[in-house]
Amino acid sequence: MTARVVIALVLLAAQVSTLVMGQSSLLLLGLCIAYLVATVAMRMLSQPRGRDMVFDPRWVATIGLDVATFSALHFMQGATINYTPLFALPVLQAAVLGALPLALGTTALVTLILLADAWRWSMEFPADTTTRMLQSGLAGAGLFIVAYLTNHLALRLSRQEAMALQSAREARVQMLVNELVIEHLSDGVLVIDQQLVVNAANPSARHLLEWELLGRSLPFALDAEPGWTPLADLVLRTFALGGAQRAELNIQVDHLPVCHLQARTQLADALADGAQSLCVLFLQDRREMEARMRTEKLAAMGRMSAAVAHEIRNPLASISQANALLGEELADPAQQRLVAMVQQNAQRLSRIVDEILDVARVEHLGASAAGVNLPLDDSVRAMCGEWTSQHRNPQAVLLSLAAGTREVRFDPEHLRRVLVNLLDNAWQHADHARPIQVSTSLNGKGAAVLQVWSEGPQLEQTVQRHLFEPFFSSRSRSSGLGLYICRELCERHRATISHERLSRYQENRKVGGNAFTVTFESREDSASRAAPVSVQ
């Protein structure tokens, strides 16, 4: 479009010059002015479109206008100026912007115009007929060759552009996937250049180094904080040696707690000449690693201990029975105390065996356990009554039941086990002078909620992270299986269990406590899960 405007200006200047010399007419000058106006309007108003059209109105507005204007000039002023080279413009335009039939059709039209002009001159000057016909034929043949080659090159360029766009889209998608993966990695990731400037980092790295508390934002220098010196030294050593490095580091920054890290580096070589290499620094919390390893080992031991528990149960029952018979024969108070100690520890061992076997049973339930519709409030009231009777303390539990007649789909024995485990856990960690609060309600989504709250100190962060893992306990005399069994049973019945720190009123004062919340499957979720799926 810009080339057409330039050619229109050149033609107008040429017509003005010839008009001054008396070799042109006002009609040709007006034609050039009109062509200039048309080309400028097309340059300002036209928008790029696909090049696969054979013929559409654009041809009349662009290529057809050029052919008509150049033909008029060629026929009306052919004696003084040769306009034949200008016909290459519409031919090239048709070859680049259109399909091959449009390019060949435009070239054929231009060739016919040139041959018609040669025939017109042969009528006036018969002696030049052969020469003019030969020139017009050669010009037409050359334009056909130019049109074919130009269209072929345009097609190749278009395919390469499409491939480049497709590759760019795929690269963009891959980049987004990589960013998503890095963002959700549990390991911290830092991208650092040779000047120790941190250019990128994922949320785990920000959490481990806690630089936001120090007022830092990307990009920043890794050696800006004295406490990060071990990390900076590790990165410098990586660049100096040109290979991956690994180290265990202890990071202490200002008043923040010490961060024990497992760090490893990897060099990302520069792909372009002159670009600098980057160092990718991976950070892991050593305490998290040790906790995961400990959990895996304990889980393996738990699977093995389930088999051992079966063998322990029968001898343990024999010991308890023999101890009971022995206690009936002994009258000495000191010996009775020994019998009581044996009985107490035998009961503790029996409870641990039962919990281990419970874990084995839960793991063999399958993806979901069958349940029945239980009235939540009535079931909780009855189960809490049984629990307080066993502990001989009717005031140990304070009920607040507000679920009404709502029913939940749960196995009765499994719900009893969940509630008893939560009550036992609360009783072990709570102040026995104040009751445990058990409440039921309906949340905003219409799902039934069961909550067990007890006053007590806030749990440590490390304890909260592993609260529902098997064989994890903050008490030395606990097996660490109660909360794990609760979570497994809830998941089997499509319920969820969670822990949170909540404040409640006790004796007209606000006190802090720990709440375990069981959220049952809502009616909408149950209906959508049970609804048949229609295939169209």
Side-chain angles (χ1 to χ4, degrees):
M1 297 298 103
T2 303
R4 295 174 72 235
V5 174
V6 173
I7 290 176
L9 290 173
V10 173
L11 289 177
L12 181 61
Q15 291 301 322
V16 171
S17 300
T18 55
L19 184 63
V20 171
M21 293 183 294
Q23 298 179 359
S24 182
S25 64
L26 293 176
L27 179 61
L28 292 177
L29 180 63
L31 178 63
C32 291
I33 293 175
Y35 180 64
L36 176 61
V37 173
T39 55
V40 171
M42 180 60 66
R43 176 65 180 85
M44 296 176 62
L45 302 178
S46 63
Q47 296 293 332
R49 291 178 58 184
R51 62 173 310 281
D52 56 348
M53 297 291 184
V54 176
F55 180 84
D56 66 4
R58 289 182 302 166
W59 191 94
V60 178
T62 54
I63 302 174
L65 177 63
D66 292 348
V67 173
T69 302
F70 300 156
S71 299
L73 293 174
H74 189 73
F75 280 107
M76 298 173 64
Q77 206 176 12
T80 56
I81 302 177
N82 185 12
Y83 292 95
T84 301
L86 291 180
F87 286 106
L89 177 63
V91 170
L92 290 175
Q93 189 172 346
V96 172
L97 300 180
L100 183 61
L102 178 62
L104 296 179
T106 303
T107 307
L109 176 61
V110 171
T111 303
L112 291 175
I113 293 173
L114 294 178
L115 291 174
D117 181 66
W119 176 78
R120 182 176 65 87
W121 280 102
S122 66
M123 299 297 293
E124 298 181 7
F125 305 98
D128 296 336
T129 301
T130 303
T131 302
R132 284 188 173 274
M133 285 292 183
L134 182 60
Q135 290 177 350
S136 300
L138 290 176
L143 289 176
F144 271 106
I145 295 174
V146 169
Y148 178 79
L149 293 178
T150 303
N151 184 265
H152 180 70
L153 293 175
L155 285 174
R156 178 178 296 182
L157 180 61
S158 178
R159 287 194 296 267
Q160 291 179 350
E161 183 180 7
M163 292 175 60
L165 291 175
Q166 180 65 23
S167 299
R169 285 193 292 266
E170 293 176 355
R172 177 62 178 169
V173 170
Q174 187 63 43
M175 183 178 66
L176 293 176
V177 171
N178 293 339
E179 291 178 353
L180 182 64
V181 172
I182 293 175
E183 286 291 317
H184 290 81
L185 276 179
S186 58
D187 297 349
V189 179
L190 299 174
V191 181
I192 308 167
D193 60 21
Q194 295 181 0
Q195 286 73 39
L196 296 180
V197 175
V198 179
N199 296 293
N202 67 342
S204 296
R206 294 195 290 269
H207 173 71
L208 288 174
L209 298 182
E210 296 182 330
W211 69 62
E212 294 177 349
L213 299 178
L214 303 173
R216 302 287 179 182
S217 59
L218 292 174
F220 64 89
L222 190 60
D223 55 355
E225 291 289 339
W228 294 340
T229 302
L231 294 174
D233 294 340
L234 182 63
V235 174
L236 291 176
R237 188 163 66 248
T238 302
F239 283 119
L241 300 179
Q245 302 294 316
R246 187 184 296 270
E248 292 185 357
L249 307 175
N250 297 323
I251 305 300
Q252 173 70 58
V253 179
D254 294 341
H255 60 282
L256 299 177
V258 180
C259 187
H260 306 278
L261 299 177
Q262 173 77 34
R264 58 185 179 91
T265 59
Q266 186 72 40
L267 280 180
D269 296 330
L271 299 178
D273 296 336
Q276 63 175 352
S277 299
L278 296 174
C279 176
V280 182
L281 178 61
F282 299 92
L283 303 176
Q284 290 179 301
D285 192 338
R286 290 210 308 267
R287 293 173 300 180
E288 291 285 345
M289 295 173 57
E290 294 168 357
R292 284 197 297 267
M293 294 176 60
R294 183 171 60 251
T295 300
E296 292 174 359
K297 291 179 180 179
L298 290 177
M301 292 176 59
R303 289 189 293 269
M304 179 187 67
S305 62
V308 177
H310 284 284
E311 303 300 327
I312 295 177
R313 200 170 195 178
N314 291 333
L316 188 59
S318 300
I319 292 173
S320 299
Q321 186 177 7
N323 181 68
L325 294 175
L326 184 61
E328 295 177 357
E329 300 293 334
L330 299 176
D332 186 10
Q335 294 176 339
Q336 286 290 337
R337 283 196 298 271
L338 294 176
V339 170
M341 290 175 59
V342 172
Q343 181 183 5
Q344 180 182 3
N345 286 278
Q347 290 175 349
R348 178 169 174 264
L349 288 175
S350 178
R351 185 167 57 253
I352 293 176
V353 168
D354 289 340
E355 289 179 347
I356 293 174
L357 294 177
D358 284 342
V359 172
R361 296 190 194 99
V362 167
E363 291 178 349
H364 288 84
L365 283 177
S368 62
V372 297
N373 291 328
L374 297 176
L376 181 59
D377 286 358
D378 295 341
S379 301
V380 171
R381 184 182 293 106
M383 294 172 187
C384 289
E386 294 176 4
W387 186 86
T388 54
S389 299
Q390 292 176 0
H391 286 73
R392 299 179 181 179
N393 187 354
Q395 306 300 323
V397 175
L398 178 62
L399 293 176
S400 177
L401 307 179
T405 58
R406 175 60 59 88
E407 294 181 345
V408 295
R409 191 162 187 81
F410 221 92
D411 182 85
E413 184 58 32
H414 293 169
L415 182 59
R416 184 190 309 275
R417 194 178 305 174
V418 170
L419 183 55
V420 168
N421 281 340
L422 293 179
L423 290 173
D424 288 342
N425 183 75
W427 185 257
Q428 292 173 5
H429 294 84
D431 183 2
H432 294 177
R434 296 182 177 88
I436 302 170
Q437 296 186 15
V438 178
S439 61
T440 60
S441 60
L442 301 178
N443 63 12
K445 297 181 179 180
V449 176
L450 168 64
Q451 189 174 85
V452 177
W453 180 92
S454 61
E455 180 184 355
Q458 184 171 0
L459 300 180
E460 297 180 3
Q461 188 174 4
T462 55
V463 174
Q464 293 184 29
R465 282 199 295 265
H466 306 285
L467 199 57
F468 295 97
E469 294 179 2
F471 300 100
F472 179 83
S473 176
S474 59
R475 298 169 64 90
S476 60
R477 297 177 62 85
S478 174
S479 63
L481 294 173
L483 293 178
Y484 169 73
I485 293 174
C486 291
R487 186 194 68 179
E488 291 296 310
L489 290 175
C490 288
E491 289 181 353
R492 295 304 189 276
H493 293 277
R494 303 184 184 275
T496 59
I497 184 171
S498 61
H499 166 268
E500 58 183 328
R501 183 73 177 173
L502 290 179
S503 296
R504 294 282 182 86
Y505 282 95
Q506 289 273 20
E507 299 177 355
N508 297 325
R509 67 184 184 91
K510 194 174 184 180
V511 296
N514 298 297
F516 288 88
T517 304
V518 178
T519 304
F520 299 92
E521 184 182 24
S522 65
R523 292 178 176 176
E524 291 77 8
D525 294 338
S526 178
S528 62
R529 181 169 53 85
V533 179
S534 60
V535 180
Q536 297 180 354

